[in-house]
Amino acid sequence: MALNLIDWEIFVLGTALVGLLFAAAQSYLLLRIPVTEAKPEEISRSIREGSNAFMKRQYTSIFIFAVILAIIIFVAFYFSSGITMAWKLTTGFLIGAIGSAVAGLIGMNISVRANVRTAIIAKKGLNPALKLAFRGGTVTGMSVASLALLGLIVFYMWFHNPSAMVGYIFGASLVSLFARVGGGIYTKGADVGADLVGKVEAGIPEDDPRNPAVIADNVGDNVGDCAGMGADLFETYVVTALSSMLLASLIYASSSNFQTAFWQSAIIFPLVIGAIAIWATIIGSFFVKKGEGQRIMTALYKGLIVTVIISAIGFFFADKYLMEGNLAIYGDALIGIIIMFIMVYITEYYTSERYKPVAKIALASKTGAGTNIITGLAYGLQAVFIPAVVIVSGIIISYTITFYSLGQNPELGLYGIAVAAASMLSATGMIISIDSYGPITDNAGGIAEMAGFDEKTRNEVTDPLDAVGNTTKAVTKGYAIGSAALAALTLFAAFKTVITTAYPGALIEIDNPVVVAGLLIGASLPFFFTSYLMNAVGKAAYAIVEEVRRQFKGNEGILKGTAKPDYGKAVDIVTKEALRQLMIPALIAVLTPLAVGFILGPLALGGLLLGVILSGFPLAIMMTVGGGAWDNAKKYVEQGNYGGKGSDAHKAAVVGDTVGDATKDTAGPAINPLVKVVNTISILFVTIIMTHYLLSSVFPIIPLLHP
């Protein structure tokens, strides 16, 4: 018996709740494991307290900014659209912001508890530690995906109007931007500062307890990679699904020819895809286990492969019973899965020590830091091209098959791209589980080092787990960037549809000088934005370097191991510096599209959105993949290659890793929320911008809207 739309809505709602229950069960099983050793628990407590202190101060700043924006949104839409729409958009904005914040907090809070348990159980071998670390990651992955789906379906069942839900994605995007920027500045400021003084100047190991910045460094893994990534992919999930729903609803409303049950189903189809993927992720999580002679990465990939196979089967039946068995739509969903797999493989190729790029960067370190930087930069630039070809191929194929199967209308072809993007994001739960495993094992390795665990545990368990964690974090960033490009394109399609529906003669054409002006501003925006982030990491690192040097100089017993460093001082310094640098990048992201829209008009704003997508995608890939390659090149040398630890090659590789840290964990990942904040705020305010321009006589000679 075929399900009606209400049945599908209940299915999505129930699945989101099941996903949260599964995450709660995994959390219970993790936390019931007792922490039996005092020294690791003391170290873990310091990391946990530092992480909580930073998040509390960061979210206080975000909350103030969000409340101000909420008031602006309410007032603006109260006078332009009435109290009902103003209330819906403002409520959505605040709940989206809270959801993104909660997603980040869940990831961080489970990570700071899983790290010590993983470190202790590592004494029993690699498989138990892998299982425990992945369980911690699963809590984050399932929580983020289920929370995102829950928010979307509750709002849709409440409003049944995706246009009224745009405030929700803007709130999620804004908090994601803050979390990525603030956490990224913190984590890399602490990491770079700790490495420069500890490794390069003092010649002590990475997580040596004598380094005053070592706790701050481990705190950074949690507030950057866990809280930041959780908020980022929550936002990416919400934006991708809702942009697909918004596009379908705009197509449904734009012409009487499309007033069919098919397009009503098309609105909710992205949420059904997400629900099926949650069931698939739950099943796939049980397949993550390392077989005899298998690589750790292979064990993680088994869970991902099972997840996407089950998802693909489920998508077929969803297409059959919800989308009238349209094989083109099912083909779009499969294209999204294929794009995801290729992006994952390409990222691993460029960032894993098993392949040529990392080995070549490590080899270049033998002749100094300069050649290390040049080689790493070369491979980072090279890594952009193939992902671009993959994304372009997916766009063309999904557009074409949907275009011809749904009546040869360009707008309908765009829905095929939206389905591919939603399908690509369906694996979010498993991908975040794999990603969150990384900072847990990174912290576990640090705790093992600081607690003085035996070399066998560190060399055979925590170090290999940590090395794979670097690759999993890079893979997740590549996945997020690729999905962001498709999601942003869907958002742009929705933006364009809003304009052309209201004013059929308003075309975003490349021969319009105003569109070109917006295009150039948009293309330069990611570079301008990331310049602040790179500079902020430098300032935070400088502050940490000065503090560590001061402690070493003022207390000689620290390096001798007879005195304990002041860890809290370093944590406090980098926290203040990160929050001090947080606001300007956020204002750049929010104010630039509004300024372009209100001064140059909606067509210039359309050009800006295209420019941000076109430059943001390759810049983000270059920074994240190149940075991951630099990081693992350093670890490749530390494994005993080209002289090993303490050699000249190692010192050069540390310099390369220092540069890569800022690009892969701060600047590069922050481009994702930048692109989506710019797109979502543009869609949110586009009707007000159009009204402002038509009533304004400030620039009457500029042909922004053609009659």
Side-chain angles (χ1 to χ4, degrees):
M1 184 178 69
L3 299 176
N4 59 39
L5 289 179
I6 295 177
D7 293 329
W8 286 107
E9 291 172 6
I10 293 172
F11 166 71
V12 174
L13 177 64
T15 298
L17 295 174
V18 168
L20 289 174
L21 287 174
F22 180 77
Q26 292 292 87
S27 179
Y28 170 77
L29 292 173
L30 175 72
L31 296 178
R32 69 182 294 192
I33 299 173
V35 179
T36 55
E37 299 184 31
K39 183 64 174 177
E41 169 59 20
E42 179 188 349
I43 297 167
S44 177
R45 189 185 310 115
S46 297
I47 296 171
R48 185 163 62 249
E49 290 172 354
S51 301
N52 288 332
F54 174 79
M55 295 301 291
K56 181 179 179 180
R57 290 165 71 169
Q58 177 177 249
Y59 280 156
T60 299
S61 301
I62 295 173
F63 176 76
I64 294 170
F65 191 73
V67 168
I68 294 172
L69 263 180
I71 294 171
I72 293 172
I73 291 170
F74 182 84
V75 172
F77 283 93
Y78 175 79
F79 288 105
S80 66
S81 305
I83 191 170
T84 301
M85 183 58 74
W87 172 76
K88 287 180 178 180
L89 292 173
T90 305
T91 302
F93 170 77
L94 290 173
I95 294 179
I98 292 169
S100 188
V102 169
L105 284 172
I106 289 174
M108 187 204 73
N109 277 303
I110 199 64
S111 175
V112 296
R113 289 167 172 79
N115 56 13
V116 63
R117 291 168 170 82
T118 301
I120 292 173
I121 208 168
K123 293 180 178 181
K124 297 181 179 180
L126 195 147
N127 246 328
L130 169 63
K131 181 180 179 181
L132 189 59
F134 181 74
R135 172 168 284 164
T138 301
V139 176
T140 305
M142 291 302 300
S143 297
V144 169
S146 301
L147 273 175
L149 188 64
L150 180 64
L152 286 165
I153 189 60
V154 167
F155 265 103
Y156 183 70
M157 293 176 75
W158 189 4
F159 297 153
H160 279 103
N161 179 10
S163 296
M165 298 165 63
V166 173
Y168 182 63
I169 59 176
F170 179 49
S173 297
L174 186 70
V175 171
S176 170
L177 181 70
F178 272 104
R180 264 302 186 196
V181 170
I185 293 171
Y186 183 105
T187 183
K188 291 305 108 177
D191 192 356
V192 170
D195 282 354
L196 287 177
V197 184
K199 287 184 178 181
V200 178
E201 293 184 9
I204 59 179
E206 180 166 354
D207 290 304
D208 196 297
R210 293 172 291 176
N211 192 329
V214 69
I215 295 295
D217 185 7
N218 281 275
V219 167
D221 292 329
N222 296 290
V223 301
D225 288 323
C226 283
M229 179 57 76
D232 187 356
L233 281 179
F234 173 91
E235 170 254 357
T236 300
Y237 191 108
V238 167
V239 169
T240 303
L242 188 50
S243 61
S244 305
M245 297 169 68
L246 179 61
L247 182 62
S249 71
L250 291 172
I251 294 171
Y252 173 82
S254 63
S255 172
S256 60
N257 294 330
F258 306 141
Q259 304 286 334
T260 65
F262 177 87
W263 285 103
Q264 289 180 316
S265 300
I267 296 173
I268 197 175
F269 185 62
L271 299 186
V272 174
I273 284 178
I276 291 169
I278 283 180
W279 288 105
T281 302
I282 292 173
I283 297 170
S285 66
F286 293 103
F287 286 81
V288 176
K289 55 186 70 174
K290 184 178 177 296
E292 188 66 31
Q294 279 187 337
R295 296 188 303 127
I296 299 171
M297 203 70 194
T298 302
L300 296 171
Y301 279 161
K302 283 194 295 186
L304 179 60
I305 291 169
V306 170
T307 297
V308 297
I309 289 174
I310 295 173
S311 294
I313 295 171
F315 295 167
F316 175 80
F317 288 102
D319 176 73
K320 179 178 180 180
Y321 293 109
L322 181 61
M323 302 300 292
E324 302 176 2
N326 189 298
L327 290 179
I329 298 296
Y330 180 61
D332 295 330
L334 293 182
I335 288 168
I337 291 175
I338 293 169
I339 292 174
M340 182 269 293
F341 262 122
I342 297 176
M343 290 294 294
V344 166
Y345 174 76
I346 292 169
T347 307
E348 184 184 359
Y349 173 79
Y350 279 101
T351 57
S352 173
E353 72 275 6
R354 297 177 62 244
Y355 300 106
K356 178 181 175 181
V358 167
K360 288 289 186 181
I361 297 170
L363 177 62
S365 303
K366 292 177 65 178
T367 52
T371 47
N372 172 284
I373 297 294
I374 292 169
T375 307
L377 183 60
Y379 278 112
L381 293 168
Q382 183 187 109
V384 171
F385 184 72
I386 298 177
V389 172
V390 171
I391 295 293
V392 167
S393 300
I395 288 171
I396 292 174
I397 296 171
S398 58
Y399 178 90
T400 302
I401 62 176
T402 315
F403 174 82
Y404 283 108
S405 70
L406 296 180
Q408 301 187 26
N409 185 296
E411 288 181 339
L412 310 188
L414 290 172
Y415 182 72
I417 300 173
V419 170
S423 172
M424 187 176 177
L425 259 294
S426 65
T428 294
M430 180 57 69
I431 291 288
I432 297 180
S433 300
I434 293 172
D435 173 81
S436 297
Y437 149 95
I440 291 172
T441 56
D442 195 342
N443 268 198
I447 292 170
E449 177 77 30
M450 287 183 276
F453 283 15
D454 61 275
E455 288 191 12
K456 182 179 180 182
T457 299
R458 299 202 305 269
N459 294 338
E460 296 183 10
V461 181
T462 58
D463 284 354
L465 289 173
D466 182 22
V468 171
N470 279 322
T471 300
T472 64
K473 288 184 285 187
V475 163
T476 305
K477 293 181 180 77
Y479 164 81
I481 293 164
S483 60
L486 289 176
L489 184 61
T490 304
L491 284 170
F492 173 75
F495 174 87
K496 186 175 74 69
T497 302
V498 171
I499 294 179
T500 54
T501 299
Y503 304 99
L507 302 176
I508 301 174
E509 297 174 320
I510 196 66
D511 61 348
N512 187 332
V514 175
V515 174
V516 174
L519 192 66
L520 289 174
I521 294 171
S524 64
L525 183 59
F527 293 87
F528 184 57
F529 174 79
T530 53
S531 72
Y532 276 92
L533 303 187
M534 295 292 286
N535 196 33
V537 171
K539 290 178 180 178
Y542 177 83
I544 284 293
V545 166
E546 291 294 296
E547 172 60 20
V548 174
R549 285 175 176 168
R550 183 192 67 78
Q551 291 197 35
F552 281 164
K553 185 177 180 180
N555 189 344
E556 295 181 357
I558 292 176
L559 280 175
K560 294 178 181 178
T562 58
K564 185 178 179 180
D566 185 355
Y567 299 125
K569 182 66 174 176
V571 170
D572 186 61
I573 286 174
V574 75
T575 296
K576 290 179 178 177
E577 194 63 40
L579 295 179
R580 188 179 297 121
Q581 303 295 329
L582 177 63
M583 197 56 65
I584 291 180
L587 288 174
I588 289 172
V590 171
L591 295 180
T592 302
L594 293 178
V596 169
F598 281 108
I599 295 173
L600 296 179
L603 295 190
L605 183 56
L608 180 138
L609 300 187
L610 277 177
V612 168
I613 297 169
L614 292 176
S615 72
F617 171 74
L619 183 62
I621 289 284
M622 186 274 287
M623 285 186 156
T624 54
V625 174
W630 268 314
D631 193 342
N632 274 346
K634 177 203 67 176
K635 283 186 165 50
Y636 186 78
V637 175
E638 288 176 343
Q639 291 169 6
N641 300 292
Y642 308 125
K645 294 181 180 179
S647 65
D648 289 340
H650 182 234
K651 292 178 181 178
V654 169
V655 174
D657 176 41
T658 300
V659 176
D661 277 339
T663 64
K664 74 181 175 66
D665 289 327
T666 305
I671 295 174
N672 280 351
L674 167 72
V675 171
K676 283 168 285 186
V677 163
V678 169
N679 275 270
T680 54
I681 197 171
S682 299
I683 292 178
L684 185 62
F685 282 93
V686 64
T687 54
I688 295 178
I689 289 171
M690 287 193 293
T691 302
H692 161 82
Y693 172 71
L694 291 172
L695 297 177
S696 174
S697 60
V698 177
F699 294 107
I701 62 171
I702 300 179
L704 304 184
L705 284 173
H706 300 292

Coordinates of all heavy atoms in Angstrom, one line a residue, residues 590-623:
V590 N 28.7 38.5 6.7 CA 27.3 38.9 6.8 C 27.0 40.2 6.1 O 26.0 40.4 5.4 CB 26.9 39.1 8.3 CG1 25.5 39.8 8.4 CG2 26.8 37.7 9.0
L591 N 28.0 41.2 6.2 CA 27.7 42.5 5.6 C 28.0 42.6 4.1 O 27.4 43.4 3.4 CB 28.6 43.5 6.4 CG 28.2 43.7 7.9 CD1 29.2 44.7 8.5 CD2 26.8 44.1 8.0
T592 N 29.0 41.8 3.6 CA 29.3 42.0 2.2 C 28.1 41.7 1.2 O 27.8 42.6 0.4 CB 30.5 41.0 1.8 OG1 31.6 41.3 2.6 CG2 30.9 41.2 0.3
P593 N 27.4 40.6 1.4 CA 26.3 40.4 0.4 C 25.2 41.5 0.6 O 24.5 41.9 -0.3 CB 25.8 39.0 0.8 CG 26.3 38.7 2.1 CD 27.6 39.4 2.2
L594 N 24.9 41.9 1.9 CA 23.9 42.9 2.1 C 24.3 44.3 1.4 O 23.5 44.9 0.8 CB 23.7 43.1 3.6 CG 23.1 42.0 4.3 CD1 22.9 42.3 5.8 CD2 21.7 41.6 3.8
A595 N 25.6 44.6 1.6 CA 26.1 45.9 1.0 C 26.0 45.8 -0.5 O 25.5 46.8 -1.2 CB 27.6 46.1 1.4
V596 N 26.4 44.7 -1.1 CA 26.3 44.6 -2.6 C 24.9 44.6 -3.1 O 24.5 45.3 -4.0 CB 27.0 43.3 -3.1 CG1 26.7 43.0 -4.5 CG2 28.5 43.4 -2.9
G597 N 24.0 43.9 -2.3 CA 22.6 43.9 -2.7 C 21.9 45.2 -2.7 O 21.2 45.6 -3.6
F598 N 22.1 45.9 -1.6 CA 21.4 47.2 -1.4 C 22.1 48.3 -2.2 O 21.4 49.3 -2.6 CB 21.4 47.6 0.1 CG 20.4 46.8 0.9 CD1 20.7 45.8 1.8 CD2 19.0 47.1 0.7 CE1 19.7 45.2 2.5 CE2 18.0 46.4 1.4 CZ 18.4 45.4 2.3
I599 N 23.4 48.2 -2.5 CA 24.0 49.3 -3.3 C 23.9 49.1 -4.8 O 23.6 49.9 -5.5 CB 25.5 49.5 -2.8 CG1 25.5 50.0 -1.4 CG2 26.2 50.5 -3.7 CD1 26.9 50.0 -0.8
L600 N 24.3 47.8 -5.2 CA 24.3 47.5 -6.6 C 23.1 46.8 -7.1 O 22.9 46.6 -8.3 CB 25.6 46.7 -6.9 CG 26.9 47.5 -6.7 CD1 28.1 46.6 -7.0 CD2 27.0 48.7 -7.5
G601 N 22.3 46.2 -6.2 CA 21.1 45.6 -6.6 C 21.1 44.1 -6.7 O 22.2 43.4 -6.5
P602 N 20.0 43.4 -6.9 CA 19.9 41.9 -6.8 C 20.7 41.2 -7.9 O 21.2 40.1 -7.7 CB 18.4 41.7 -7.0 CG 17.8 42.9 -7.6 CD 18.7 44.0 -7.1
L603 N 20.9 41.8 -9.1 CA 21.6 41.1 -10.1 C 23.1 41.1 -9.8 O 23.8 40.1 -10.0 CB 21.4 41.8 -11.5 CG 20.0 41.7 -12.1 CD1 20.0 42.2 -13.5 CD2 19.5 40.3 -12.0
A604 N 23.6 42.2 -9.2 CA 25.0 42.2 -8.7 C 25.2 41.2 -7.6 O 26.2 40.5 -7.5 CB 25.4 43.6 -8.3
L605 N 24.2 41.0 -6.8 CA 24.2 40.1 -5.7 C 24.2 38.6 -6.3 O 25.0 37.8 -5.8 CB 23.0 40.2 -4.8 CG 22.9 39.3 -3.6 CD1 24.2 39.4 -2.7 CD2 21.7 39.6 -2.7
G606 N 23.5 38.4 -7.3 CA 23.6 37.1 -8.0 C 24.9 36.8 -8.5 O 25.5 35.7 -8.4
G607 N 25.6 37.8 -9.1 CA 27.0 37.7 -9.5 C 27.9 37.4 -8.4 O 28.8 36.5 -8.5
L608 N 27.7 38.0 -7.2 CA 28.5 37.8 -6.1 C 28.4 36.3 -5.6 O 29.4 35.7 -5.2 CB 28.1 38.7 -4.9 CG 28.9 38.6 -3.6 CD1 29.2 39.9 -3.0 CD2 28.1 37.8 -2.6
L609 N 27.2 35.8 -5.6 CA 27.0 34.4 -5.2 C 27.7 33.4 -6.1 O 28.4 32.5 -5.6 CB 25.5 34.0 -5.2 CG 24.6 34.9 -4.3 CD1 23.2 34.3 -4.2 CD2 25.1 35.0 -2.9
L610 N 27.7 33.6 -7.4 CA 28.5 32.8 -8.3 C 29.9 32.9 -8.0 O 30.7 31.9 -8.0 CB 28.1 33.2 -9.7 CG 26.9 32.6 -10.4 CD1 26.7 33.1 -11.8 CD2 26.9 31.1 -10.4
G611 N 30.4 34.1 -7.8 CA 31.8 34.4 -7.6 C 32.3 33.7 -6.4 O 33.4 33.1 -6.4
V612 N 31.6 33.7 -5.3 CA 32.0 33.0 -4.0 C 32.1 31.5 -4.2 O 33.0 30.9 -3.7 CB 30.9 33.4 -2.9 CG1 31.2 32.5 -1.7 CG2 31.1 34.8 -2.5
I613 N 31.1 31.0 -5.0 CA 31.2 29.5 -5.2 C 32.4 29.2 -6.1 O 33.1 28.2 -5.8 CB 29.9 29.1 -5.9 CG1 28.6 29.3 -5.0 CG2 29.9 27.6 -6.3 CD1 27.3 29.1 -5.7
L614 N 32.6 29.9 -7.2 CA 33.7 29.6 -8.1 C 35.1 29.7 -7.5 O 35.9 28.9 -7.9 CB 33.5 30.5 -9.3 CG 32.3 30.3 -10.2 CD1 32.3 31.3 -11.4 CD2 32.3 28.9 -10.8
S615 N 35.3 30.7 -6.6 CA 36.6 30.8 -6.1 C 36.7 30.0 -4.7 O 37.8 29.5 -4.4 CB 37.0 32.2 -5.9 OG 36.3 32.8 -4.8
G616 N 35.6 30.0 -4.0 CA 35.6 29.3 -2.7 C 35.9 27.9 -2.7 O 36.7 27.3 -1.9
F617 N 35.3 27.2 -3.7 CA 35.5 25.7 -3.9 C 37.0 25.4 -4.1 O 37.6 24.6 -3.3 CB 34.7 25.2 -5.0 CG 35.0 23.7 -5.3 CD1 34.6 22.7 -4.5 CD2 35.7 23.4 -6.5 CE1 34.8 21.4 -4.8 CE2 35.9 22.1 -6.8 CZ 35.5 21.1 -6.0
P618 N 37.7 25.9 -5.1 CA 39.1 25.5 -5.3 C 40.0 26.0 -4.2 O 41.0 25.3 -3.8 CB 39.5 26.2 -6.6 CG 38.5 27.3 -6.8 CD 37.2 26.8 -6.2
L619 N 39.8 27.2 -3.6 CA 40.6 27.7 -2.5 C 40.5 26.8 -1.3 O 41.5 26.4 -0.6 CB 40.2 29.1 -2.2 CG 41.1 29.8 -1.1 CD1 42.6 29.9 -1.6 CD2 40.6 31.2 -0.8
A620 N 39.3 26.3 -1.0 CA 39.1 25.5 0.2 C 39.8 24.1 0.0 O 40.4 23.6 0.9 CB 37.6 25.3 0.4
I621 N 39.7 23.5 -1.2 CA 40.3 22.3 -1.5 C 41.8 22.4 -1.4 O 42.5 21.6 -0.8 CB 40.0 21.8 -2.9 CG1 38.5 21.3 -3.0 CG2 40.9 20.7 -3.4 CD1 38.2 20.0 -2.4
M622 N 42.4 23.4 -2.0 CA 43.8 23.6 -2.0 C 44.3 23.8 -0.5 O 45.3 23.1 -0.2 CB 44.2 24.9 -2.8 CG 45.7 25.1 -2.9 SD 46.5 26.0 -1.6 CE 45.8 27.7 -1.8
M623 N 43.6 24.5 0.3 CA 44.1 24.7 1.7 C 44.0 23.5 2.5 O 44.9 23.1 3.3 CB 43.3 25.9 2.3 CG 43.7 27.3 1.8 SD 42.9 28.6 2.7 CE 44.0 29.9 2.4

